[in-house]
């Protein structure tokens, strides 16, 4: 968390003191600052001490290092008059003592009774472990030149950084510019007479993820044109000679061997660059405080200059340390402090090297971060914090969505998604082991009403059909038509077949309390050849489950389903037996049909009575070859259609309302229900295909497996938002990811695995949005810091 302190000295100077001093403390989460007031007394001693320090600083370097090249022209541009009486018998010890005296005097001044209220309030409100920007606003040039970093406040607050500000500031709203993943730097390598600026260039070239344009001793027109570049710049860098006037009001840079420019001469180009996003200007030249005055009036966010003449080595070391910290993700301010502190290692050779760099800051601007520009994200966006954030968000999001799923809030969506994937599967064609004989509306009308009674099939018609089928030796005949009454005595042969045949099966219906009284089985058919025809629609009326067996109940006192009985009889002829495993699952041969639980897959608290499995439909149309009653009675059957097959006889006449909704019913093009006899064929085919063809049964992951699967997509959602920087790319990546998720889920369904696709899509979106909100909030917070 970054705090901003704006210290405004108001009217006054070091000779008269500052009658009204205000300190405004800004918290990034609150745009309204906390304000403290105080005063500062006159400090004539500081004026004299700093004047003497300036003189001895220049003289000491000339005395100790007569051959040292300075990062500036050695003419007395600052207008400093050197009195020989002031510099007699100068020594490093004397200069060191002077530095100590200046530091002590600054702290005595800032510990005065008049300023104590501000000092104490700041120390009370600020945390030593948070980043703090202290910005000084004053019109007095002598105060601006003081080495404020020597204030012992900065010793106690290790992440506090000092900066200067123009008396008047305004927020700059950058123009829209092309999005780039790299930091753009305009590097001006000016007049290099007597200095080595190639080292500056080498340091800049090592900065990662940057696009740097070098202007070598440019002409004014060339420099101006580059400042107007429409792509915009993030950093403006100058290395070469520079100077400021004695009053500190005007500074100039020497761009080539003959030309020098003031900021006002580049005003329009600089304003254009700032409007297009220029965040930082670094003038690695001598005596840059005059440049601060002029450039700050253009409201540039940050600027770094040297307060006095700077040796080549110091300028280069500062640049290297600053850019190293900056490239490692430190903010501009913390990188500045780190570089200054590392300069202290040079002070045995270059006294006061750490005093030279100064930052000028626009209080309305956030601190520039290299990682922020490279990926359009705040500093924490590229640290381990974002990984931790994505991890935490994914866990919370997954727990939330899976919690909603566990109480049934997603069931209808999941079932619709399941149906959509079922409809998208390729048609597997008809099962060659099954033949369906349908009693159509025309077949019903062709039978005398008196013979038929209220049924779809009369005794005479049934006897004829069974006789014609028997001659071709079917393996099983299943009558999917309710018959509660005895067969007429005229058809004694049919009655005996129903009583004694081991391959004739019929149906009955189990009663439901207060809903359905059930249907009794045909009196002639023995119990072992009966099966219940009951199906269980889901809440939306669609049949997605198959009942294999359940506890018997009157009037249909049998425990196995019609489809179970037909398939079991077919498989017994092949030597494949069924049994109940110790886990209470039915097993045919080596294939186990695992029971659905009440909360299996997308289901929530379903009635899972008996032994239920998901129904893996093989076709949206006909699961088996279909012939009509008329076809059979007119002798249009052949042996190859009947022999060794399961024959299902049922009605498809709409007047008998034996139609059911399936996942294929709500297709895009039509709404078609499936006849009950064809639904039974689908169920029989599922058992036979699983046992004989290794066709996959539908199954779900265990709950922990589903959680991990959904959590994985939640992580992907957060990572996508982290990695993609523009809304267009993010949108395309999101759509592509959802398509991949659907494709993977669909592919797994073809292999029999029902994956939770709806929760996965939801966590993908919610996690991504949550991480995006975190990013926007973090970025907004940094802007307000």
């Amino acid at each position: 968390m970054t705090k901003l302190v704006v210290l405004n000295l108001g009217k006054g100077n070091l000779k008269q003191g500052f009658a009204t001093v205000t300190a405004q403390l800004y918290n990034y989460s609150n745009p309204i600052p906390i304000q403290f007031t105080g005063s500062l007394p006159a400090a004539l001693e500081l004026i004299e001490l700093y004047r003497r320090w300036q003189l001895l600083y220049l003289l000491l370097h000339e005395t100790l290092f007569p051959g040292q090249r300075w990062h500036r022209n050695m003419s007395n541009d600052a207008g400093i008059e050197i009195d020989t009486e002031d510099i007699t018998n100068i020594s490093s010890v004397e200069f060191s003592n002077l530095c100590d005296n200046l530091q002590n005097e600054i702290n005595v001044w800032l510990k005065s009774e008049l300023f104590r209220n501000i000092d104490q309030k700041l120390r009370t409100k600020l945390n030593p472990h948070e980043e703090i920007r202290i910005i000084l606003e004053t019109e007095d040039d002598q105060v601006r030149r003081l080495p404020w970093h020597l204030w012992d406040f900065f010793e106690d607050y290790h992440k506090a950084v000092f900066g200067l500000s123009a008396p008047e500031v305004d927020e700059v709203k950058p123009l829209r510019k092309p999005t780039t993943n790299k930091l753009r730097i305009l590097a001006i390598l000016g007049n290099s007479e007597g200095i080595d600026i190639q080292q500056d260039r080498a340091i800049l070239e090592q900065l990662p993820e940057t696009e740097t344009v070098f202007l070598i001793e440019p002409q004014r027109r060339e420099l101006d044109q580059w400042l107007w570049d429409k792509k915009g710049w993030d950093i403006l860098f100058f290395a070469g000679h520079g100077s400021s006037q004695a009053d500190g009001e005007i500074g100039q840079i020497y761009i080539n061997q003959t030309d020098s420019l003031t900021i006002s001469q580049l005003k329009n180009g600089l304003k254009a660059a700032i409007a297009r996003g220029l965040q930082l200007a670094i003038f690695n030249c001598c005596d840059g405080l005059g440049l601060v005055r002029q450039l700050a009036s253009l409201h540039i966010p940050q600027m770094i200059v040297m307060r006095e003449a700077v040796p080549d080595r110091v300028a280069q070391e500062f640049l290297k340390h600053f850019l190293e910290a900056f490239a490692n993700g430190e903010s501009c301010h913390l990188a500045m402090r780190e570089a200054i502190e590392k300069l202290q290692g040079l002070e045995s050779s270059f006294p006061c090297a750490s005093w030279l760099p100064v930052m000028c800051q626009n209080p309305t601007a956030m601190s520039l971060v290299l990682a922020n520009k490279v990926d359009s994200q705040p500093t924490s966006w590229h640290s381990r914090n974002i990984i931790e954030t994505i991890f935490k968000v994914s866990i919370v999001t997954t727990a939330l969505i899976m919690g909603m799923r566990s109480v049934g809030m997603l069931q209808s969506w999941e079932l619709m998604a399941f149906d959509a994937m079922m409809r998208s599967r390729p048609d597997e064609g008809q099962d060659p082991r099954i033949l369906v004989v349908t009693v159509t509306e025309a077949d019903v009308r062709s039978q005398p009403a008196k013979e038929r009674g209220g049924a779809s099939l009369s005794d005479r018609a049934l006897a004829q059909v069974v006789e014609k089928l028997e001659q071709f030796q079917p393996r099983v005949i299943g009558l999917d038509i309710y018959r509660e009454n005895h067969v007429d005595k005229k058809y004694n042969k049919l009655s005996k077949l129903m009583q004694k045949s081991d391959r004739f099966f019929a149906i009955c219906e189990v009663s439901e309390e207060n809903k359905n009284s059930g249907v009794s089985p045909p009196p002639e058919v023995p119990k072992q050849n009966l099966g219940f025809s009951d199906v269980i629609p889901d809440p939306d009326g669609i049949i997605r489950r198959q009942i294999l067996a359940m506890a018997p109940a009157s009037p249909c006192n049998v425990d196995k389903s019609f489809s179970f009985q037909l398939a079991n009889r077919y498989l017994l002829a092949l030597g494949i037996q069924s049994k109940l495993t110790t886990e209470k699952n039915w097993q045919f041969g080596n294939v186990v049909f695992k029971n659905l639980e009440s909360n299996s897959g997308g289901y929530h608290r379903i009635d899972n009575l008996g032994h239920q499995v998901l129904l893996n439909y093989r076709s949206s149309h006909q699961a088996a070859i279909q012939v009509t009653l008329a076809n059979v009675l007119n002798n249009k059957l052949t042996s190859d259609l009947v022999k060794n097959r399961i024959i299902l006889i049922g009605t498809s006449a709409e007047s008998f309302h034996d139609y059911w909704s399936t996942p294929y019913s709500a297709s895009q093009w039509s709404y078609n229900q499936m006849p009950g006899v064809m639904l039974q064929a689908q169920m029989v085919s599922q058992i036979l295909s699983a046992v004989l063809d290794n066709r996959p049964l539908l199954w779900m992951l265990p709950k922990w497996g589903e959680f991990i699967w959904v959590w994985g997509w939640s992580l992907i959602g957060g990572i996508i938002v982290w990695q993609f920087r523009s809304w267009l790319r993010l949108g395309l990546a999101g759509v592509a990811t959802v398509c991949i998720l659907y494709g993977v889920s669909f592919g797994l369904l073809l292999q029999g695995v029902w994956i939770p696709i709806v929760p996965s899509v939801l966590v993908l979106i919610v996690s991504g949005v949550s991480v995006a909100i975190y990013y926007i909030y973090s970025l907004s917070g940094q802007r307000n810091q």
Side-chain angles (χ1 to χ4, degrees), residues 136-295:
L136 178 68
E137 292 182 351
T138 180
E139 296 181 359
D140 185 64
D141 182 63
Q142 289 180 318
V143 174
R144 291 165 65 85
R145 284 187 170 273
L146 291 178
W148 279 79
H149 69 283
L150 300 178
W151 181 14
D152 59 13
F153 176 91
F154 294 99
E155 287 291 327
D156 300 330
Y157 291 80
H158 301 291
K159 290 187 177 182
V161 183
F162 175 78
L164 299 173
S165 174
E168 296 183 4
V169 295
D170 193 9
E171 183 179 7
V172 176
K173 297 181 178 179
L175 300 173
R176 185 177 181 86
K177 63 178 181 178
T179 303
T180 175
N181 296 335
K182 293 186 176 181
L183 199 81
R184 298 195 79 226
I185 302 176
L186 179 61
I188 307 164
L189 304 182
N191 184 356
S192 59
E193 182 181 354
I195 58 177
D196 178 17
I197 59 176
Q198 291 305 312
Q199 187 65 28
D200 298 66
R201 176 170 185 163
I203 295 170
L204 284 172
E205 288 175 337
Q206 295 174 7
L207 190 63
E209 298 296 334
T210 57
E211 176 189 343
T212 305
V213 174
F214 291 96
L215 303 182
I216 312 299
E217 295 195 354
Q219 297 298 311
R220 177 178 175 178
R221 181 178 179 182
E222 179 187 6
L223 172 57
D224 196 65
Q225 286 178 339
W226 278 105
L227 287 173
W228 280 89
D229 188 79
K230 292 184 178 180
K231 292 182 180 179
W233 304 101
D234 298 291
I235 297 178
L236 174 66
F237 174 82
F238 173 81
H241 293 296
S243 63
S244 295
Q245 292 183 357
D247 57 7
E249 291 291 332
I250 299 177
Q252 57 186 345
I253 56 174
Y254 296 82
I255 61 173
N256 54 49
Q257 297 289 332
T258 58
D259 298 322
S260 65
L261 294 175
T262 63
I263 296 299
S264 62
Q265 291 174 303
L266 296 170
K267 180 178 179 180
N268 292 336
L270 287 169
K271 287 177 67 175
I274 294 169
R276 289 190 172 94
L278 181 62
Q279 294 288 308
L280 171 65
I282 303 175
F283 289 90
N284 213 14
C285 60
C286 294
D287 201 10
L289 288 178
L291 299 171
V292 167
R293 281 273 191 172
Q294 294 173 289
L295 196 51

Side-chain angles (χ1 to χ4, degrees), residues 433-437 466 469-470 472-479 497 501-506 528-530 561-574 641-649 684 688:
R433 295 169 290 245
I434 303 172
L435 174 68
V436 177
V437 178
V466 171
L469 290 172
E470 282 286 332
F472 295 120
Q473 298 180 330
R475 186 165 297 174
V476 186
I477 296 177
L479 180 62
L497 182 142
S501 175
D502 63 348
R503 59 186 182 190
F504 185 91
F505 291 81
Q528 65 268 22
N529 284 14
L530 291 174
S561 69
F562 184 53
S563 59
F564 181 104
Q565 292 283 55
L566 297 181
N568 187 55
R569 177 64 181 80
Y570 185 94
L571 294 171
L572 278 174
L574 299 176
L641 287 176
V642 180
K643 188 172 183 179
N644 292 328
R645 294 195 183 202
I646 295 176
I647 312 300
L648 276 164
I649 304 172
V684 173
L688 297 181

Side-chain angles (χ1 to χ4, degrees), residues 669-769:
W669 310 110
S670 62
Y671 184 83
N672 297 314
Q673 292 184 307
M674 186 174 290
V677 66
M678 198 58 69
L679 183 62
Q680 293 291 344
Q682 296 272 9
M683 295 177 179
V684 173
S685 178
Q686 162 155 283
I687 299 174
L688 297 181
S689 299
V691 177
L692 301 177
D693 304 333
N694 293 320
R695 182 172 180 263
L697 293 166
L698 295 179
W699 58 281
M700 291 75 70
L701 296 174
K703 290 301 177 185
W704 61 266
E706 289 184 330
F707 189 94
I708 292 175
W709 168 268
V710 174
W711 176 47
W713 289 101
S714 182
L715 285 172
I716 291 172
I719 292 171
I720 287 174
V721 174
W722 175 29
Q723 292 297 322
F724 291 92
R725 306 167 186 93
S726 72
W727 289 112
L728 176 61
R729 293 182 180 179
L730 183 58
L732 292 175
V735 171
T737 304
V738 172
C739 291
I740 292 171
L741 169 57
Y742 181 86
V744 172
S745 301
F746 180 69
L748 290 173
L749 185 65
L750 293 177
Q751 302 304 314
V753 188
W754 181 17
I755 290 295
I757 183 173
V758 171
S760 301
V761 172
L762 288 177
V763 297
L764 184 73
I765 295 172
V766 174
S767 179
V769 169

Side-chain angles (χ1 to χ4, degrees), residues 21 26 79 112 225 229 304 538 541 549 632 748 760:
V21 178
Y26 291 84
S112 64
Q225 286 178 339
D229 188 79
I304 297 174
D538 285 333
V632 178
L748 290 173
S760 301

